[in-house]
Amino acid sequence: MTTTTETASARTPEHRSSGERVLPPLQIGPITVDTPVVLAPMAGVTNRAFRTLCREAGASTGHDPGLYVAEMVTSRALVERNVEALRIVTFGPEETPRSAQVYGVDPATVGAAVRIIAGEGRADHVDLNFGCPVPKVTRKGGGGALPWKRQLFTDIVREAVRAAAPHGVPVTVKMRKGIDEEHLTYLEAGQIAEREGAAAVALHARTVAQHYSGEAEWESIARLKEAVTTIPVLGNGDIWSADDAVRMVRETGADGVVVGRGCQGRPWLFADLAAAFHGETVRVQPTLREVAETIYRHGELMIDYFDGDEGKGMRDLRKHMAWYLKGYAVGGEARHALAMVSTRAELRERLDALGDAPYPGEAAEGQRGRAGSPKTPHLPYGWLDSRELDAEWEARLREAELSVSGG
């Protein structure tokens, strides 16, 4: 049986196009990314196992793969040397460049965390999270809520860049449009990040209030590109296919794309993306058997990621099953059994029982997971009253640093 990535590699030569590449390589500080595609950090998803599958898929086209960012890690957890936090910023020997994302609300703590990552050679690139819409983050003034406090945002970016600079590690910023349509911050934040030495900015073209609902407003990416002129601007939001990615950069002028939910259960999307950005027409359309082999490899990589703990690896794999099987003719009983798998042997047996079926076309494509509905942002009391912080708020934010990792 062939794996999905092997299939992508095998199909590429006979489907090659002579078309020109869509974008030049992406330059992030000293790092050149030949395929201007970034895997967005997603809590509980983009660990080393999943990043390996995505990277292998991208490389299967014969092109250098893109940039694959680890799960978000909190600055406090890193400074405290939390075991899980350190696991998150541990990369495989084949991962290059290594990319980590840091979240925090206190400039000194963020700076200290970046100093650990850069100074100890744990990653080659650090991304700062200013886009998370999750209530446990925004109610602390973090994620997508933070750029509203312009000086705090400035101080965090400045401290991170200063901490990373002596080690030649570029720092980038990922953000949303703002808290809601009445409290937009992305243009100002992009220009601040540019001024403070960030190597690139990425925009998820939704507000915190939108969460993942509705449609991403790609026009805002174009406006950010007009406002930020000396560093790359990357677009994020509603990229479900390689054709979406190409359309985004053509409509917005973005220098590259960031792909999140669109690759859940579809690591082979990075083969499509690499091909598309290099002007080729290859698209991976795996059979059910090929998907099953990818799931099994994912399971093996998960066990390795958790240091041989088979039970933990299988439990973490379960969330991916519905994403992988989207659109395929797999009955509810079989889906349930895979969602409850607890050993490698069970995984092998249940995958073998699926049999085979051709690629189901559009049924397997499009949006992954639940988009949900707009939500009232959870913010600290009085957060919107002023764009600035007073001394009391600064002290409260230092106490608000989350100790958890992974989002």
Side-chain angles (χ1 to χ4, degrees):
M1 286 179 268
T2 58
T3 66
T4 304
T5 53
E6 289 171 345
T7 300
S9 180
R11 291 177 181 175
T12 299
E14 63 185 28
H15 286 79
R16 284 284 167 92
S17 166
S18 59
E20 296 181 359
R21 62 181 297 157
V22 174
L23 285 177
L26 175 64
Q27 197 68 39
I28 299 180
I31 299 172
T32 301
V33 184
D34 186 49
T35 301
V37 173
V38 179
L39 166 64
M42 291 178 282
V45 176
T46 58
N47 55 32
R48 189 175 70 232
F50 188 70
R51 294 197 307 272
T52 296
L53 291 173
C54 295
R55 183 179 295 276
E56 288 176 347
S60 72
T61 61
H63 302 294
D64 289 338
L67 192 63
Y68 299 82
V69 188
E71 299 171 82
M72 181 185 83
V73 62
T74 71
S75 54
R76 176 177 169 181
L78 271 177
V79 171
E80 293 177 349
R81 300 277 174 174
N82 174 280
V83 172
E84 186 57 28
L86 293 175
R87 182 196 297 275
I88 287 173
V89 292
T90 299
F91 297 84
E94 76 289 347
E95 291 192 82
T96 180
R98 300 161 300 164
S99 183
Q101 189 187 66
V102 173
Y103 155 85
V105 295
D106 174 56
T109 309
V110 172
V114 172
R115 200 168 290 111
I116 289 172
I117 292 173
E120 297 178 5
R122 292 181 175 272
D124 307 302
H125 158 242
V126 173
D127 186 53
L128 299 178
N129 182 307
F130 297 108
C132 183
V134 175
K136 74 175 181 179
V137 169
T138 59
R139 70 164 54 102
K140 301 291 186 180
L146 195 144
W148 178 251
K149 302 297 187 182
R150 58 167 71 89
Q151 190 59 51
L152 177 62
F153 175 81
T154 300
D155 292 345
I156 289 177
V157 176
R158 180 181 297 157
E159 287 299 314
V161 170
R162 285 178 177 174
H167 311 285
V169 172
V171 173
T172 59
V173 165
K174 187 170 188 287
M175 58 189 176
R176 285 190 173 229
K177 289 170 52 184
I179 294 172
D180 54 34
E181 292 296 333
E182 286 69 50
H183 301 88
L184 300 177
T185 54
Y186 71 101
L187 294 178
E188 179 185 47
Q191 291 174 325
I192 291 172
E194 179 181 32
R195 185 180 69 236
E196 294 300 330
V201 293
L203 178 65
H204 183 154
R206 285 183 171 88
T207 62
V208 171
Q210 283 181 275
H211 211 72
Y212 295 101
S213 67
E215 294 184 358
E217 187 198 12
W218 288 0
E219 184 182 342
S220 62
I221 300 168
R223 290 197 292 269
L224 182 62
K225 178 63 179 171
E226 293 172 354
V228 174
T229 60
T230 64
I231 58 176
V233 171
L234 309 178
N236 176 222
D238 293 353
I239 296 177
W240 310 112
S241 69
D243 293 338
D244 289 335
V246 171
R247 184 166 58 87
M248 173 187 277
V249 300
R250 287 179 172 161
E251 290 182 7
T252 67
D255 300 290
V257 299
V258 180
V259 180
R261 293 175 298 148
C263 70
Q264 290 176 342
R266 298 173 67 209
W268 50 85
L269 177 59
F270 287 91
D272 291 356
L273 290 162
F277 276 106
H278 287 271
E280 298 160 9
T281 58
V282 61
R283 300 293 183 267
V284 179
Q285 299 181 333
T287 66
L288 179 58
R289 173 51 48 206
E290 290 166 343
V291 171
E293 291 307 307
T294 300
I295 294 173
Y296 187 73
R297 173 152 170 71
H298 193 166
E300 291 184 311
L301 290 167
M302 289 298 296
I303 294 169
D304 178 68
Y305 176 65
F306 288 115
D307 301 320
D309 189 329
E310 192 168 295
K312 193 170 184 179
M314 291 298 100
R315 286 193 297 275
D316 204 276
L317 179 66
R318 292 171 182 173
K319 72 169 77 74
H320 296 266
M321 295 300 183
W323 297 330
Y324 272 120
L325 298 175
K326 174 180 165 64
Y328 289 88
V330 176
E333 186 175 339
R335 289 173 182 268
H336 178 75
L338 282 165
M340 298 298 292
V341 68
S342 57
T343 68
R344 191 194 326 237
E346 284 180 1
L347 179 64
R348 180 75 275 169
E349 180 182 0
R350 292 171 187 180
L351 289 173
D352 287 346
L354 294 179
D356 200 5
Y359 183 69
E362 292 184 2
E365 299 172 0
Q367 184 168 300
R368 326 298 290 178
R370 297 177 181 175
S373 58
K375 307 175 189 298
T376 301
H378 290 69
L379 303 170
Y381 179 76
W383 189 253
L384 296 178
D385 293 347
S386 170
R387 297 294 309 273
E388 309 304 331
L389 284 179
D390 57 25
E392 179 184 355
W393 262 114
E394 290 180 3
R396 289 170 66 180
L397 283 173
R398 282 194 293 273
E399 295 299 318
E401 277 284 331
L402 292 176
S403 59
V404 296
S405 300

